[in-house]
Amino acid sequence: MRSPHHITAHHTPNPYEELGRLDDGPLAPFLVEDTGPRPGQAEAQDDPWAPPDHRRNGRRRRRGRFAGAPLALKAVVGLLVLAAFLTLADRWALLYAERRSADALQDRLQLAAAPEVEIDGFPFLTQLAGERLDSVKVTVPDVAADRVSRAQVTATAHDVRLDTDGPLSVRGADVPALEGDVLLSFADLRRELGASQVTFTGEGRDRVRARGTLPVAGHDLRLHAEAEVRREGERGIATHIGGMRLEIGDLATYRPGARTSDGLHLSRASAARLARETRKAKALLSVPAVVRRLGVPDSVVRAALRDEAKLTELTGSPRFVRQAMRLNLIDLALDHPKLLGLLGFDPALLDALPRLTRPVLTDRLSLGFRLPEPPDGRIRLRDVRVEKDGIRVRLEGTDLAVGRS
C-alpha cells in the first residue's frame, strides 16, 4: 500500500485526456486544440469582422442613374435665390421712387400733407430704364381749395414719360393724360365749416340737405337748409343755398332775407297760444303798427279791447292765427322790446338774429370749392354728383408737367 506522500509525487492526470479515453467518437475533433492551419489551407488574414452588405451592388447601380441630381437641385435653388434677390431689389427701388415722388409733389403743389403715390407695373426697374411708367396713382388727402381745404383728390396717370439723368436721377415727368375724382366728404365738411352739430346728407343727384343745431346768443336753434351743387367753370364747384330757416323751439322761425316770408315769425303753435291768452292778445292789439299789419279794422280792435267776449271772438278765428303768423317780429323788436319779451323772446337773441343775414348763413353752409391751377397743363372738373358719403366730381387732366422747377 502506497503512502499519501507517494501519491502526491505522481503527475496529475489531464482531464481532457481522460475524456478522450472515455469517448473517441464524434466529439474528438472539437476537443483537439487548433494550433495552426490545417494542411492544404492558406493562413487566414486577421481582418476585423463586418456584417455582410447585400445591397452594395444595388447602390452602385442607383448612384449611377441619379448622379446629376444634386447639381441640378443646386442650380434651381440658385436661380430661385437670384430671382428673389432681383424682386426684392425691384420692390425696394419702387418704394424709394414712390417716396421721392410724394415728397416732390408735396413741395411742388405746396400741400399740407404728403400724397400717396402708387406706381403700377412689374418690373419697375425696366420701366425706369426705359424712362416710361405704365400707370401712376396719386391720392392727395388734403387739397387747399379755397375755404374748404379738405377736398381729397385721387387721380391715375397713364403712360408717364420720365425726364432723367440716369436711373438714379429723375428730374421730372410729363403726364399726357390723367383721370380721377375729387371727394368732398360730408364728415370733413362738419369739421371744416366749424359746424360740427350740422349733418350733411345727400338728397338726389345734385342736392344736399343740412340739418342740425346752430348756437346763437346762448340758444341752440334748429337749422334747416338745402344746397344745390353745380359745377362752376372748369375747376370750381358752387352751391346755391335755399330753404334756410332757424327754429327757436316752438316759439318762432327765423328766415334770413328781405322777402315778405323772411324774417322772424311766430310758429303756428305759438300763434294759437297767443289767441288763448287774453293778456298777450291785448298787449299785441294795443300796438297800432301790429293792428295795421294784422289788417283788423280799428273799430273791431277797440271793441275787443273793451269786451273779452269780442276779444275771444276775434282771436279765436283762424284768420287771426294766420295773420299773427305773418307778422315780422324783427320789425317790432327795436320799437317794442317789452312786447316781444312778453311773448317769450330773449332780447339778446333778438339782437343777434338780424346779424344772421342770408350771405352770412350761406357762407357758413357753402359747399363750394375751387381746385388750384397747376403750374403746367390743364385740369378740368366734370360730372358733379352727390353720393352718400359726400360730393364727388370727376377729374380730367392733360399735358401736365411734374417735378420741374
Side-chain angles (χ1 to χ4, degrees):
M1 183 174 182
R2 298 179 180 178
S3 63
H5 297 282
H6 179 75
I7 294 174
T8 58
H10 289 281
H11 179 69
T12 303
N14 188 347
Y16 293 100
E17 293 179 356
E18 293 181 1
L19 288 174
R21 287 193 296 268
L22 292 174
D23 191 355
D24 290 332
L27 295 177
F30 299 95
L31 299 175
V32 179
E33 184 177 0
D34 190 1
T35 59
R38 295 181 182 179
Q41 292 182 347
E43 186 174 355
Q45 297 290 332
D46 191 15
D47 294 333
W49 180 88
D53 188 356
H54 301 288
R55 298 182 298 174
R56 184 172 299 170
N57 294 334
R59 284 184 177 177
R60 289 197 185 100
R61 288 193 296 269
R62 285 194 294 270
R63 186 179 299 135
R65 183 183 304 170
F66 299 98
L71 182 59
L73 181 60
K74 291 179 181 179
V76 171
V77 171
L79 291 176
L80 292 177
V81 171
L82 179 60
F85 177 77
L86 293 176
T87 302
L88 181 62
D90 187 86
R91 295 299 92 185
W92 180 87
L94 174 65
L95 294 175
Y96 177 77
E98 290 176 344
R99 177 64 180 273
R100 289 292 301 272
S101 300
D103 293 340
L105 284 174
Q106 182 179 6
D107 294 339
R108 182 64 171 163
L109 300 179
Q110 297 180 353
L111 302 175
E116 299 177 6
V117 178
E118 300 178 24
I119 301 176
D120 198 9
F122 179 83
F124 166 70
L125 291 176
T126 58
Q127 298 183 71
L128 183 61
E131 298 184 352
R132 187 181 296 269
L133 302 179
D134 297 337
S135 175
V136 179
K137 181 180 179 180
V138 179
T139 301
V140 184
D142 189 358
V143 176
D146 290 349
R147 62 186 301 272
V148 179
S149 65
R150 294 188 64 85
Q152 175 178 297
V153 178
T154 302
T156 301
H158 302 281
D159 195 23
V160 178
R161 295 186 293 271
L162 302 177
D163 182 13
T164 69
D165 284 333
L168 299 179
S169 178
V170 179
R171 292 194 302 265
D174 293 324
V175 181
L178 63 81
E179 57 185 8
D181 56 40
V182 180
L183 174 63
L184 190 60
S185 170
F186 289 145
D188 291 340
L189 279 174
R190 289 196 292 270
R191 294 187 293 268
E192 187 69 23
L193 300 179
S196 59
Q197 296 176 334
V198 177
T199 301
F200 297 90
T201 56
E203 188 76 11
R205 179 180 175 82
D206 60 351
R207 293 185 180 275
V208 177
R209 175 184 297 175
R211 298 289 185 272
T213 59
L214 189 67
V216 179
H219 298 267
D220 288 333
L221 309 185
R222 289 196 298 270
L223 171 67
H224 300 262
E226 306 288 338
E228 180 185 0
V229 183
R230 58 179 180 270
R231 184 168 58 89
E232 186 177 56
E234 290 190 339
R235 293 184 292 109
I237 298 298
T239 53
H240 174 71
I241 308 296
M244 286 187 296
R245 70 179 188 272
L246 295 171
E247 296 179 355
I248 308 171
D250 65 347
L251 178 62
T253 300
Y254 175 72
R255 292 181 175 88
R259 297 175 300 180
T260 305
S261 59
D262 296 333
L264 181 64
H265 299 268
L266 293 174
S267 65
R268 180 174 295 277
S270 181
R273 286 197 302 269
L274 175 63
R276 296 192 299 267
E277 297 179 9
T278 303
R279 187 168 65 94
K280 292 182 179 180
K282 286 184 176 182
L284 189 66
L285 293 174
S286 299
V287 179
V290 173
V291 174
R292 287 194 300 269
R293 289 181 174 87
L294 290 175
V296 181
D298 292 340
S299 58
V300 175
V301 172
R302 288 193 298 268
L305 292 177
R306 292 193 302 265
D307 188 347
E308 289 192 5
K310 296 289 185 180
L311 178 63
T312 302
E313 182 181 355
L314 173 61
T315 57
S317 66
R319 183 176 181 274
F320 178 83
V321 174
R322 290 194 301 268
Q323 291 298 102
M325 292 176 60
R326 292 176 183 175
L327 288 174
N328 189 349
L329 303 179
I330 292 295
D331 297 338
L332 302 175
L334 295 177
D335 298 332
H336 306 279
K338 293 183 179 180
L339 173 62
L340 295 184
L342 180 63
L343 295 178
F345 289 94
D346 182 3
L349 181 62
L350 294 174
D351 183 61
L353 285 177
R355 293 196 293 269
L356 290 176
T357 61
R358 178 174 290 273
V360 170
L361 286 178
T362 297
D363 184 66
R364 295 189 66 172
L365 299 175
S366 176
L367 308 179
F369 65 92
R370 192 170 187 82
L371 289 180
E373 185 175 1
D376 300 295
R378 184 181 180 189
I379 291 181
R380 299 177 298 276
L381 297 178
R382 296 284 186 268
D383 188 28
V384 181
R385 60 189 183 277
V386 177
E387 298 181 348
K388 181 179 180 180
D389 55 346
I391 302 171
R392 193 177 297 273
V393 190
R394 188 164 58 89
L395 174 71
E396 294 179 354
T398 55
D399 300 327
L400 299 172
V402 180
R404 296 191 182 94
S405 58

